Amino acid sequence: WRHAGGATVKFVLRAVSRDSNGTATDIADSWPLNATTLDEAKAEVDRQRWSEAWDVANAFEITDEVGNVLAWRPFREDGEDVSWS
């Protein structure tokens, strides 16, 4: 992943489907983040208003540039925002 202008992306947000055990079974979409730290990446995602209309995805994952999952959370539970794990 690279930002416009060629800078390397440090974090990527993925919309994923997680099963009842918490295992990601499908990646519905992904987006580069502008953040330089994991805490900034979480805050960047939390500031956005996301549509939950995906047919497959039910959670977000933040990964590093090679795809290692650093944090994840469900979209919402009982209509409330959920903390990152």
Side-chain angles (χ1 to χ4, degrees):
W1 288 89
R2 291 198 175 276
H3 289 291
T8 302
V9 170
K10 189 165 183 174
F11 299 101
V12 175
L13 175 67
R14 300 193 303 201
V16 300
S17 176
R18 285 186 169 255
D19 64 19
S20 60
N21 295 323
T23 302
T25 59
D26 186 43
I27 299 170
D29 210 342
S30 57
W31 305 270
L33 297 172
N34 294 314
T36 58
T37 69
L38 182 56
D39 284 340
E40 288 175 2
K42 291 174 183 178
E44 182 178 339
V45 174
D46 289 344
R47 281 192 302 270
Q48 302 298 318
R49 291 292 166 227
W50 300 95
S51 168
E52 296 179 34
W54 290 295
D55 291 336
V56 177
N58 61 6
F60 286 128
E61 292 179 339
I62 296 175
T63 71
D64 62 16
E65 63 275 3
V66 295
N68 297 310
V69 177
L70 305 174
W72 77 276
R73 71 168 172 83
F75 289 151
R76 296 172 73 77
E77 286 182 359
D78 300 323
E80 299 293 325
D81 289 334
V82 180
S83 297
W84 291 93
S85 63

